[in-house]
Amino acid sequence: MIRLLGYFFGIGAVLFLLVAGGIAWYVEGMAKDLPDYQVLADYEPPVTTRVHAADGALMAEYAKERRLFLPIQAVPALVKNAFLSAEDKNFYTHPGVDVEGIGRAVLMQIKGGPLQGGSTITQQVAKNFLLTNERTYDRKIKEAILSLRIEQAYSKDRILELYLNEIYLGLGSYGIAAASLSYFDKAVNELTIDEAAYLAALPKAPENYNPFRSKDAAVARRNWVIDQMVSNRFVSAEDGAAAKERPLAINPRASGLYLAASQYFTEDVRREIIQRYGVKALYEGGLSVRTTLDPKLQSEALAALRRGLVDFDQARGYRGPVKTIDIGSDWGKPLGEVPALADVPEWRLAVVLGVETGGASIGLQPARTVSGALGSDREVGRIDLSDMKWALRLNTATRKGGVRGADDVLSRGDVVYVEKKGEGDSYRLRQPPKVQGALVSMEPRTGRVLAMVGGFSFSESEFNRASQAYRQPGSSFKPFVYAAALDNGYTPASVVLDAPISLPDGNGGFWTPSNYGGGSAGPSTLRLGIEKSRNLMTVRLAKDMGMELVAEYAERFGIYDKLGRYLPMALGAGETTVLRMVSAYSVIANGGRSLEPSMIDRVQDRYGRTIYRHDERRCATCNEPSFENQPEPELVDERDQVLDPMTAYQITSMMEGVVQRGTATILKELGVPVAGKTGTTNDEKDAWFVGFTPDLVTGVYMGYDNPQPMGHGSTGGGLAAPIFLDFMRDALKGKPPVDFNVPEGMELIAVNRKTGMRAGEGGSDSIMEAFKPGTGPSDSYDVIGMDAVAASDTRREVSPEASQAIVQGAGGLF
């Protein structure tokens, strides 16, 4: 019997050794092809890039996986304990593998059930970072081996940090920091017990516990986590019970863009970041971008431009409804399917339910719930005839002209835009303008773009007319022609002939430019030429200097990369952008220093290191540890001087005259020193005004995307200047007036407005003019162009390229 027992024992021992050897051989084979867990040491997860305004307000976030990396030291104990209770309560004591959990999973499989988890947090890290999601024994064994190795190489806190930042928690959020914002619009240190427990309930299956589609399951799972936290003594029974009684109060954070007014600006910043660092850096690099945007000025700029566009558009009449729908038994459903302008929140879509001569009853588009479903409430209102009088002028494809009643304009089922009128249920009729425009406002000393609006609505059109639309600037280009003259021997009192002129057009005919409205004033000073925007004077001045010089200055200011050397270009026939024009005017406003326009102040990488800074001025003593009566620190500006500071003041003074006596007198209302120039192109297709105070330069453009006449009288002074006024009125509110700085050495001398010769101070026909040292009013009456009226005007041949420029448009009317 003993022998038999020994025999069986020997067989058992051999079998045991064989099985153990087989297992060892199998495990060794599994271990050979395992991924290198050392890569976890250099783990850099894809992190959200965040774009901020100058005041720190969040403008936008960009990410393929919305994630904000959070060091373990910054994770509150409440949040850590919630996840430990839900996922791995023995995390800080086990070696990486929970033997009991694995045994439970194997037993379930033997009984014919599904393959269970039983994974520790370390195993989940191994799976998420190094393995696939396949549910097999091979993968589980590899996971266990890697977990043991990871535990030997890294601290428990580092493993937990990796886990809490990597896991997917639904709503497009990766990691606890992003999920806390997505579900509750809170930082993790603001979460309550019930909120932390809900986030901890999600790792297993976020979609199964979706708070909108599976609310009951989500609450049940959250409460189970709370019970585990109580069982593990992480929270008291009283606090746990109170947490379970709270509703699942989800408060989703809006994703993507947060300052709706800044969308055109933000999109340009996005493109610049991609150009500098690449797509991957933007969507995965976790960059922190501090922009130059001033949110207050941006909102004012958007409002001013929209008011100007709407006023112009409404004066042209009503073009018809957005669309027409079948009202049926529930008008809310078809109306809810019509896309609205998301970035014009004060306007709402509505459907006409009934209409009579005196007005219309309307149903407003239902709001959507946080889950995206159409709301069940049906809100109604009314448009009175007095709130749609502008629409009594019809401008539809089938009917034009005036009508008398609302029922001549609207029909039942018409979908239109409306804007609430104070309290009650009264609304105004609105329509998105067909005409477009742009506004850019810049800090002249630094080139920082403080506000940029590229159109009426980014939702309607993402094309940025401030930076992407190349249009003729018209007469707003003239100051650079005059600046070139002033920089090369002319003075503001130089006299040029304002009289008809004809030049060969290269096709056997003649180009005969004219002043806006016709007529001419005879010999006039350069100042008068700017103030009254005289085309004939500008052509003669450019001809006298030579277009080579004019083009050189235009390129030096950055208005054009290369300007054709043709006289029509002196009237603004070349195409450029609002941003370029504002940058060029900023050079004049800052005293002639070159600048590079910038929408980004600073870029930091995911670790907070500054990798780009716009301001490159040096300051040797700015970081002194203490002040001991040494001189104040000085910023050394090494930018090029592209225009004589005295010339810059002269042309500024002349453009002040545009506001005081010229084509933009509407701006005198501001009551502060303002300089600027209007611009209108042939057939009134484009209207411009670019102007500035000592501290702010702003440019406004208006025109159709497909260039077409805007109507007689649609000038820069009549369309763009009022928008400039509307914006600057708010921008300058509460700020004291600042005079333009007169450079040291300049002499102010009284001259006759008409002749440019010395005059007595205080006379009705005199004006104080600024002269550079060694210059002054002419002692003799010399008129540029007078000797060429009969002869030289028709001598010069024009190239085919110039001919094309002439035929397509001379620009620069007013």
Side-chain angles (χ1 to χ4, degrees):
M1 187 65 182
I2 294 175
R3 251 167 136 186
L4 188 60
L5 288 174
Y7 174 75
F8 282 120
F9 179 78
I11 291 175
V14 170
L15 289 174
F16 174 79
L17 291 173
L18 288 173
V19 171
I23 292 174
W25 175 80
Y26 175 74
V27 170
E28 183 181 0
M30 287 285 125
K32 281 182 180 178
D33 299 323
L34 289 178
D36 183 7
Y37 62 89
Q38 298 290 348
V39 298
L40 298 179
D42 302 319
Y43 171 62
E44 288 188 346
V47 178
T48 301
T49 287
R50 311 184 91 193
V51 180
H52 299 266
D55 65 354
L58 183 62
M59 293 168 59
E61 293 180 325
Y62 298 103
K64 289 182 178 178
E65 297 179 359
R66 197 188 312 167
R67 177 188 284 107
L68 299 173
F69 188 83
L70 200 64
I72 193 63
Q73 296 84 355
V75 180
L78 174 66
V79 175
K80 284 195 284 188
N81 292 336
F83 277 87
L84 293 176
S85 295
E87 294 295 316
D88 188 359
K89 67 178 182 180
N90 297 320
F91 172 72
Y92 278 98
T93 57
H94 65 60
V97 176
D98 185 349
V99 177
E100 180 184 349
I102 292 176
R104 186 169 57 250
V106 171
L107 183 60
M108 180 64 70
Q109 179 72 2
I110 292 172
K111 291 180 177 179
L115 187 61
Q116 298 291 306
S119 296
T120 64
I121 284 177
T122 312
Q123 287 176 275
Q124 292 184 57
V125 167
K127 179 188 72 174
N128 293 337
F129 285 87
L130 305 171
L131 299 171
T132 66
N133 285 323
E134 63 174 331
R135 300 173 69 83
T136 65
Y137 285 118
D138 284 355
R139 199 266 294 163
K140 293 294 290 183
I141 291 171
K142 290 179 180 179
E143 182 183 291
I145 296 169
L146 282 172
S147 297
L148 294 171
R149 293 179 177 180
I150 289 170
E151 289 270 352
Q152 292 174 352
Y154 303 103
S155 68
K156 288 284 189 179
D157 280 349
R158 172 59 175 166
I159 296 169
L160 186 58
E161 179 183 78
L162 292 170
Y163 172 76
L164 293 177
N165 282 287
E166 179 67 14
I167 49 174
Y168 179 66
L169 295 172
L171 295 189
S173 301
Y174 292 79
I176 56 172
S180 180
L181 292 172
S182 295
Y183 285 98
F184 304 111
D185 197 15
K186 290 182 176 182
V188 290
N189 58 355
E190 299 174 315
L191 294 174
T192 58
I193 294 174
D194 54 301
E195 292 166 343
Y198 176 68
L199 293 186
L202 295 171
K204 283 283 188 282
E207 293 307 312
N208 291 349
Y209 307 114
N210 184 287
F212 307 116
R213 292 191 294 270
S214 307
K215 188 172 183 178
D216 291 342
V219 171
R221 177 69 178 176
R222 179 203 68 176
N223 291 347
W224 177 84
V225 174
I226 294 173
D227 288 339
Q228 299 304 305
M229 294 174 73
V230 172
S231 175
N232 295 327
R233 298 184 180 180
F234 290 139
V235 297
S236 67
E238 294 78 11
D239 289 341
K244 289 169 67 175
E245 291 299 317
R246 295 191 188 104
L248 189 59
I250 301 300
N251 179 31
R253 185 177 195 176
S255 61
L257 291 162
Y258 302 97
L259 288 177
S262 71
Q263 286 176 285
Y264 285 106
F265 187 105
T266 305
E267 176 59 15
D268 269 22
V269 169
R270 187 190 71 85
R271 285 197 295 264
E272 184 175 342
I273 292 296
I274 290 175
Q275 183 180 2
R276 286 180 178 275
Y277 307 109
V279 173
K280 185 175 181 179
L282 175 69
Y283 291 100
E284 300 181 17
L287 302 177
S288 174
V289 182
R290 180 62 63 98
T291 71
T292 60
L293 184 98
D294 182 320
K296 182 174 180 293
L297 287 183
Q298 180 68 21
S299 295
E300 292 165 353
L302 179 62
L305 182 65
R306 280 181 174 170
R307 280 192 290 266
L309 297 177
V310 167
D311 288 347
F312 176 88
D313 186 74
Q314 289 187 351
R316 270 91 193 137
Y318 178 67
R319 296 189 304 277
V322 175
K323 68 178 302 183
T324 301
I325 61 174
D326 183 9
I327 294 178
S329 59
D330 182 7
W331 50 263
K333 290 182 179 179
L335 181 59
E337 299 304 315
V338 181
L341 297 177
D343 58 345
V344 192
E346 60 271 24
W347 289 16
R348 292 181 65 180
L349 281 174
V351 62
V352 177
L353 301 177
V355 60
E356 67 279 347
T357 301
S361 58
I362 56 173
L364 297 162
Q365 187 176 60
R368 292 190 177 273
T369 65
V370 291
S371 64
L374 198 65
S376 57
D377 292 341
R378 297 293 179 262
E379 187 180 355
V380 296
R382 179 172 176 80
I383 306 173
D384 291 323
L385 184 62
S386 60
D387 293 320
M388 55 174 289
K389 279 190 173 181
W390 64 270
L392 298 180
R393 177 179 179 179
L394 294 179
N395 189 17
T396 66
T398 58
R399 189 174 179 184
K400 300 185 185 297
V403 295
R404 292 180 177 274
D407 52 352
D408 294 320
V409 178
L410 301 174
S411 300
R412 180 176 164 84
D414 282 355
V415 176
V416 295
Y417 279 100
V418 296
E419 182 179 18
K420 192 168 181 61
K421 181 185 173 185
E423 299 298 326
D425 63 353
S426 294
Y427 289 83
R428 295 185 180 91
L429 180 66
R430 294 299 193 196
Q431 77 177 356
K434 186 177 179 182
V435 72
Q436 286 290 351
L439 187 154
V440 174
S441 195
M442 180 180 290
E443 197 174 70
R445 291 179 180 82
T446 62
R448 299 174 70 246
V449 178
L450 303 179
M452 172 191 281
V453 185
F456 178 78
S457 165
F458 189 83
S459 295
E460 181 183 46
S461 168
E462 296 183 9
F463 180 63
N464 190 337
R465 296 153 192 89
S467 61
Q468 294 177 303
Y470 280 79
R471 303 301 290 264
Q472 293 179 341
S475 293
S476 62
F477 174 71
K478 287 177 182 173
F480 303 98
V481 178
Y482 286 73
L486 295 170
D487 226 22
N488 288 275
Y490 300 75
T491 75
S494 295
V495 177
V496 179
L497 181 62
D498 182 21
I501 184 172
S502 292
L503 297 168
D505 65 4
N507 294 316
F510 291 89
W511 173 53
T512 306
S514 61
N515 292 324
Y516 187 84
S520 56
S524 304
T525 62
L526 294 193
R527 171 179 286 278
L528 186 65
I530 279 285
E531 290 181 357
K532 301 300 183 182
S533 197
R534 298 295 188 182
N535 289 342
L536 299 175
M537 285 182 63
T538 305
V539 170
R540 277 198 171 85
L541 180 62
K543 189 171 183 291
D544 191 63
M545 285 188 293
M547 276 302 297
E548 185 66 40
L549 183 64
V550 173
E552 178 191 329
Y553 270 74
E555 293 162 10
R556 184 188 299 180
F557 278 88
I559 302 172
Y560 306 104
D561 294 328
K562 186 168 181 62
L563 180 66
R565 272 61 173 165
Y566 323 127
L567 282 173
M569 297 300 177
L571 300 181
E575 295 180 338
T576 187
T577 67
V578 181
L579 181 60
R580 284 189 172 215
M581 287 295 288
V582 170
S583 300
Y585 272 74
S586 293
V587 172
I588 295 175
N590 72 26
R593 288 276 191 182
S594 67
L595 58 78
E596 193 68 35
S598 176
M599 289 178 283
I600 299 175
D601 274 338
R602 185 195 69 215
V603 179
Q604 293 176 310
D605 65 15
R606 67 171 69 212
Y607 303 108
R609 296 180 299 228
T610 298
I611 56 177
Y612 168 80
R613 188 185 301 275
H614 170 65
D615 191 345
E616 295 180 346
R617 292 175 295 176
R618 293 185 297 105
C619 180
T621 58
C622 281
N623 295 320
E624 292 290 332
S626 61
F627 182 76
E628 298 177 0
N629 298 318
Q630 68 263 41
E632 291 184 5
E634 288 188 13
L635 291 171
V636 181
D637 192 345
E638 296 179 338
R639 294 177 297 173
D640 294 335
Q641 190 78 41
V642 299
L643 187 69
D644 186 329
M646 293 187 177
T647 300
Y649 177 74
Q650 286 178 318
I651 194 64
T652 296
S653 175
M654 291 162 66
M655 285 193 285
E656 282 188 274
V658 173
V659 174
Q660 295 303 316
R661 295 170 295 277
T663 57
T665 54
I666 187 176
L667 301 180
K668 287 197 288 186
E669 177 189 324
L670 289 173
V672 300
V674 180
K677 184 69 188 74
T678 55
T680 311
T681 58
N682 280 348
D683 301 323
E684 285 115 339
K685 291 179 181 178
D686 306 282
W688 294 70
F689 184 81
V690 188
F692 56 94
T693 65
D695 300 316
L696 193 64
V697 181
T698 301
V700 178
Y701 156 79
M702 184 187 290
Y704 291 101
D705 284 344
N706 295 315
Q708 63 188 69
M710 292 187 289
H712 183 68
S714 298
T715 63
L719 296 181
I723 295 174
F724 177 94
L725 172 64
D726 193 5
F727 168 70
M728 293 295 279
R729 189 189 292 119
D730 290 331
L732 299 175
K733 189 177 296 181
K735 297 179 181 178
V738 179
D739 290 321
F740 291 104
N741 181 53
V742 182
E744 187 176 347
M746 296 205 79
E747 187 176 2
L748 298 177
I749 302 174
V751 301
N752 183 278
R753 292 179 186 274
K754 183 69 176 175
T755 67
M757 300 180 71
R758 192 181 296 269
E761 292 188 26
S764 60
D765 289 331
S766 68
I767 187 171
M768 299 302 293
E769 203 65 85
F771 291 90
K772 299 175 184 177
T775 68
S778 177
D779 295 329
S780 60
Y781 191 52
D782 183 31
V783 180
I784 298 168
M786 181 69 80
D787 58 347
V789 173
S792 299
D793 286 349
T794 60
R795 241 184 262 154
R796 186 175 173 188
E797 291 298 323
V798 181
S799 69
E801 292 84 358
S803 171
Q804 184 181 15
I806 291 168
V807 172
Q808 290 186 346
L813 291 180
F814 198 40

